[in-house]
Amino acid sequence: MSGETAGHRLQRRRVDANGLTFECLHSGEDDRLALCLHGFPDNAGSMAPIIWRLADEGFTAVAPFMRGYAPTDPAPDGDYSARALGRDAIELAEVLGEEFDTDDAVLVGHDWGAAAAYAADRTDPDAFSKLVAMAVPPGFNVLLPTHHRQFLRSWYMWLFQLPDLPERALRWRNFALIELLWGTWSPGWDYPDSRINDVKETFRAEGTVEHAVQYYRDTINVPPSALLGNGPSLNEVPSIETPTLVICGDRDGSVGPELFERAGEVIEDCRVVRVPGAGHFMHHERPDVVGDEIAAFL
């Protein structure tokens, strides 16, 4: 999981924060910290294109394996909710800021990393000067039951609520489900074997499958009343105070781009970018476009 561009290499380090030891990839040695958080089914190596770009832009860029994704520790309290991910992000930024002697911290999150970014703001809106959230809109749980196509796209989330079956489904035939999800979510991305094999290696590690599924059980909560139109409305979602760039792909098969149209109702200072021709993994599919947007915003 090493790489190199423009003279930067990915290095590894272990960081103790929020009661866990995180395995991290990082590059750059400048006075601004960029914390880069991955999603599912993925690992820290997914953030390599962003790490390299931000290292070129004058950041110390760090991507941890999220809690429960080996070799990072499992959650000692079994909590894999978005709130816990947000607390991890805040504590990591504080510890890394001291270690690298940086003056400022920004957070770039993809998928569950985006959910962590929103949660971090609600815990401490001063923790990061700016946020970048990719592939997941704010208020997703509220929007989900009101978009019927999205309800169908999210079939795997409902599968993951069941006991035991999702863990067996993920491991079936050498993690064929991961390949199915990647192919459906980013239909135009001819992902390299090295990338998906690296992710599969993470999921082979003891406990990672169980912990990754628990993210969904602890966070995705759509009451039956919401399916009948009686759920909370978007104006009841706590607002995001940190200036935020929200990025979606217009071919995303996981989260439809229409769910991002109301992001400005939740985020006080918001810019939404739809990347043409890109799916869920837009930072790999269109790295220059996404990198330019992130660099300009930060």
Side-chain angles (χ1 to χ4, degrees):
M1 201 168 2
S2 62
E4 186 172 4
T5 184
H8 295 290
R9 292 188 62 84
L10 290 184
Q11 302 176 62
R12 300 185 79 110
R13 71 189 300 119
R14 296 179 75 79
V15 178
D16 294 328
N18 202 24
L20 296 92
T21 299
F22 291 85
E23 181 82 6
C24 300
L25 307 179
H26 69 98
S27 187
E29 297 179 354
D30 291 286
D31 60 1
R32 297 187 71 191
L33 173 68
L35 184 65
C36 305
L37 305 180
H38 70 83
F40 169 90
D42 219 335
N43 64 18
S46 172
M47 306 307 287
I50 294 171
I51 292 175
W52 290 323
R53 178 59 185 267
L54 292 182
D56 288 340
E57 297 289 339
F59 285 86
T60 298
V62 182
F65 287 74
M66 301 283 271
R67 62 167 51 204
Y69 280 73
T72 288
D73 286 346
D77 56 0
D79 187 356
Y80 292 95
S81 66
R83 290 186 302 275
L85 305 182
R87 290 193 298 270
D88 287 348
I90 293 168
E91 294 288 340
L92 277 165
E94 290 181 359
V95 172
L96 290 166
E98 293 177 1
E99 287 193 12
F100 287 108
D101 193 26
T102 53
D103 299 326
D104 179 36
V106 300
L107 192 160
V108 181
H110 176 253
D111 191 83
W112 276 107
Y118 302 137
D121 175 272
R122 288 166 180 145
T123 299
D124 181 0
D126 297 319
F128 298 94
S129 62
K130 290 186 177 180
L131 305 176
V132 177
M134 299 186 291
V136 173
F140 177 76
N141 271 9
V142 172
L143 294 167
L144 179 55
T146 65
H147 289 74
H148 296 160
R149 289 187 64 190
Q150 184 58 49
F151 197 84
L152 295 175
R153 288 190 192 101
S154 299
W155 61 269
Y156 63 96
M157 296 184 186
W158 318 130
L159 171 67
F160 288 175
Q161 305 307 310
L162 300 174
D164 186 47
L165 178 61
E167 289 87 346
R168 289 190 285 117
L170 271 170
R171 291 189 172 99
W172 183 67
R173 292 195 175 181
N174 189 29
F175 300 95
L177 180 56
I178 293 179
E179 297 185 36
L180 171 66
L181 293 175
W182 280 26
T184 303
W185 294 355
S186 285
W189 182 31
D190 184 17
Y191 53 80
D193 290 342
S194 59
R195 179 86 282 274
I196 199 161
N197 287 340
D198 189 64
V199 170
K200 288 182 179 181
E201 199 61 33
T202 293
F203 276 77
R204 287 190 186 97
E206 182 178 358
T208 296
V209 165
E210 286 75 14
H211 305 149
V213 169
Q214 197 63 38
Y215 276 51
Y216 291 89
R217 294 173 179 152
D218 285 354
T219 301
I220 303 301
N221 180 20
V222 179
S225 61
L227 303 180
L228 301 175
N230 299 320
S233 63
L234 203 59
N235 60 19
E236 297 176 71
V237 175
S239 63
I240 304 296
E241 299 180 25
T242 308
T244 303
L245 171 66
V246 180
I247 307 177
C248 64
D250 70 357
R251 296 188 64 196
D252 192 333
S254 174
V255 182
E258 66 275 9
L259 269 71
F260 295 80
E261 294 173 357
R262 300 177 63 187
E265 297 179 34
V266 179
I267 303 171
E268 295 178 5
D269 184 353
C270 178
R271 169 172 162 76
V272 178
V273 172
R274 182 185 293 198
V275 182
H280 193 68
F281 298 94
M282 74 287 288
H283 53 305
H284 284 276
E285 300 168 72
R286 303 290 300 277
D288 291 340
V289 173
V290 172
D292 287 348
E293 290 286 354
I294 293 174
F297 177 73
L298 298 180

